[in-house]
Amino acid sequence: MAGTSGLIVDIECQLSNGLPAIVIVGLGNKAVDEAKERLRSAFASCKLNLPRKRITINLAPADIPKESTAFDAAIGAAILMAGRNDIPYGKNHVIIGEVGLDGSIRPVRGIIGKITAGKALGITRFFIPAGNLSQAALIQDVELVAIRSLKDLFVPDHQAPDWIIQEGSVLDKVETSVPAIDSGDLDEITGQSNAKRALEIAAAGGHNILLSGPPGTGKSMLARALPTLLPPLSHEEILEVTHLHS
């Protein structure tokens, strides 16, 4: 992710003769480089075969800085694919997740932004941590595969029906579980006629508003009452707000 936009990072893996080692190139920060230690332990914990060769990982495009532990699972899948040809990950698949030393796939931040950016670029299936599933299910028209450990990436067939979350299957549960806002009504605020008028104009026109003044003049009370003037969020607005929070 770069701000609120994103791009696809291709994980390339090459096995070559030499002393066993994992080398990660492509302008990754320290969190990305430390993935090789996490993956060594994860492969051993999951009893998966880590090739005893020199493993070179390239994060393409290589001239763009990369950070986050969300690349861990994709790097692990690239290593698995380098030694086999029956693990069906293609260009229309995205793998996201942090790998623990025990091989578990941990949730990551900004999952909605990552999936939204991938969807805009034509990605059809996303392999994501199970802990991110309820949040990611807000996004429609994508297939989500919940992975819990590195072993799940090694399974050749990902068509198990309990792994694929189709559009709307979790969406209704997520939307109906959002609590209602109880912040008081604007009519309950005494005085502050100019400020209330400014709030009404901002709400009607979709404008920004800045409340400024000494403590105790009612700025926070007015701000809490502002949502009562606004209509319920649309599905797209829910995604945007959730993305900004994450």
Side-chain angles (χ1 to χ4, degrees), residues 6-7 26 38 61 66 70 79-80 82 84 90 114 149 154 166 168 175 182 213 217 225 228 232-233 239:
L7 57 86
R38 292 190 291 271
K66 302 165 189 73
I79 296 174
L80 290 172
R84 302 174 62 99
K114 291 177 173 61
S149 74
F154 188 72
Q166 300 291 348
E175 288 186 337
D182 185 13
T217 54
T228 63
L233 294 176
L239 289 178

Side-chain angles (χ1 to χ4, degrees), residues 180-186 188-189 220-228:
I181 297 176
D182 185 13
S183 55
D185 191 87
L186 200 63
E188 299 175 359
I189 300 176
S220 299
M221 181 172 56
L222 287 163
R224 284 195 294 267
L226 178 59
T228 63

Side-chain angles (χ1 to χ4, degrees), residues 48-169:
L48 295 175
N49 180 36
L50 183 66
R52 296 185 60 81
K53 291 178 175 291
R54 181 180 175 86
I55 303 171
T56 303
I57 302 293
N58 181 43
L59 310 180
D63 60 340
I64 296 177
K66 302 165 189 73
E67 57 184 20
S68 167
T69 56
F71 295 104
D72 290 4
I75 294 173
I79 296 174
L80 290 172
M81 290 179 62
R84 302 174 62 99
N85 56 10
D86 60 345
I87 302 178
Y89 299 116
K91 291 188 177 297
N92 287 331
H93 297 165
V94 164
I95 303 174
I96 303 170
E98 176 184 333
V99 175
L101 297 182
D102 59 352
S104 61
I105 304 295
R106 296 176 177 174
V108 297
R109 295 179 57 189
I111 191 68
I112 284 184
K114 291 177 173 61
I115 295 179
T116 302
K119 177 183 175 183
L121 294 172
I123 303 301
T124 58
R125 179 175 293 182
F126 297 84
F127 297 80
I128 64 172
N132 288 126
L133 186 58
S134 60
Q135 188 182 25
L138 288 167
I139 304 174
Q140 297 178 332
D141 300 322
V142 295
E143 288 185 337
L144 304 175
V145 181
I147 49 177
R148 295 173 175 81
S149 74
L150 201 59
K151 285 184 177 179
D152 293 343
L153 295 174
F154 188 72
V155 177
D157 184 7
H158 288 284
Q159 300 302 320
D162 57 332
W163 285 16
I164 302 294
I165 307 299
Q166 300 291 348
E167 175 190 354
S169 60

Side-chain angles (χ1 to χ4, degrees), residues 156-243:
D157 184 7
H158 288 284
Q159 300 302 320
D162 57 332
W163 285 16
I164 302 294
I165 307 299
Q166 300 291 348
E167 175 190 354
S169 60
V170 182
L171 178 62
D172 295 336
K173 298 179 183 178
V174 174
E175 288 186 337
T176 55
S177 65
V178 177
I181 297 176
D182 185 13
S183 55
D185 191 87
L186 200 63
D187 293 336
E188 299 175 359
I189 300 176
T190 303
Q192 300 287 6
S193 58
N194 289 336
K196 290 193 286 187
R197 176 61 176 163
L199 289 178
E200 292 169 351
I201 294 173
H207 307 301
N208 297 323
I209 186 167
L210 172 65
L211 299 174
S212 177
T217 54
K219 300 187 301 297
S220 299
M221 181 172 56
L222 287 163
R224 284 195 294 267
L226 178 59
T228 63
L229 301 176
L230 300 172
L233 294 176
S234 65
H235 181 71
E236 291 74 18
E237 291 169 339
I238 290 174
L239 289 178
E240 183 177 358
V241 171
T242 307
H243 173 40

